[in-house]
Amino acid sequence: MGPVTPLSLAEASDSELLARHVAGDDHAFGELFRRHKDRMWAVALRTCRDPELAADAVQDGFISAFRRAGSFRGDAAVTTWLHRIIVNACLDRLRRVRPTSPLPEYDLADHRDHHSSTEVRLDVEEALARLPDGQRAALVLVDMHAVPVAEAAQILGVAEGTIKSRCARGRAALAEHLGLLAGEPETGPRTS
C-alpha cells in the first residue's frame, strides 16, 4: 500500500479506515474520529447528562476503540461498534460516579405558566435524567438519534424485544413526568 493522502482518507469507508489503522496508518483513526466525534458526543451527553462525564466517556471510548480496532469483526457497521463502545464507556462512568446532591425539585406553581423553549428542553432533560440507565440509553439511541431498534440492540448488547420494552416504559415515564410538569393531573394509581 503506497502513501495515503488526506483525500484518499476522506474517500475511504469507515471499514477501510479501521483496516488502515490496524495496518499501521497513523492518520486513518483520526479521520474516523473526525467523522463521528460529534454524534458520539451527543450520545454521550444525553446518556451521561453531565458534560464532564460525557467528555470523559467519549475520550475513554475512542481510546478503547483505537486500542481494540483489531478486534472489530465486521459483523456490524463501524458506527454500531463505536456506539456500543461509547455507550458502555458512559455506563461505566455513571456506575463509578455518585451524585453529590439531589436533583433540584421544580416548583410547579412558578413554572406552569412560564415555559419557554429552553425551559421545555430542560424539562425533557430532567425527565430523561430520572429514567434508569437502560431505558435512557435505549431512548437516546432510538428516539433521539434515530438508530434502528436492531442496531440499538447490538450497541447495548441486548435483545430487540428488550430495546422495545425499554423504549415503551421510558416513553411512558417521560410522558407521565412531563404531564405532571405541565400541570396535568395524574391519572390512576402508579404501578411502578
Side-chain angles (χ1 to χ4, degrees), residues 55-104:
D56 289 344
V58 169
Q59 180 177 318
D60 292 350
F62 272 107
I63 288 171
S64 179
F66 182 89
R67 291 179 178 159
R68 294 182 9 211
S71 70
F72 177 72
R73 296 185 311 268
D75 53 356
V78 173
T79 53
T80 300
W81 179 73
L82 283 173
H83 271 104
R84 181 183 307 130
I85 291 171
I86 297 296
V87 168
N88 285 336
C90 289
L91 296 176
D92 287 345
R93 285 277 172 179
L94 287 170
R95 284 183 202 111
R96 285 186 266 169
V97 174
R98 298 288 178 254
T100 56
S101 61
L103 286 172

Side-chain angles (χ1 to χ4, degrees), residues 127-145:
L128 196 58
R130 291 179 180 228
L131 295 178
D133 292 343
Q135 288 178 15
R136 184 174 55 256
L139 282 177
V140 165
L141 291 172
V142 174
D143 289 354
M144 296 180 175
H145 289 279

Side-chain angles (χ1 to χ4, degrees), residues 119-129 144 174 178 181:
E119 288 169 328
V120 170
R121 184 183 59 77
L122 291 174
D123 287 348
V124 171
E125 291 293 329
E126 189 236 346
L128 196 58
M144 296 180 175
L174 283 177
L178 292 171
L181 285 176

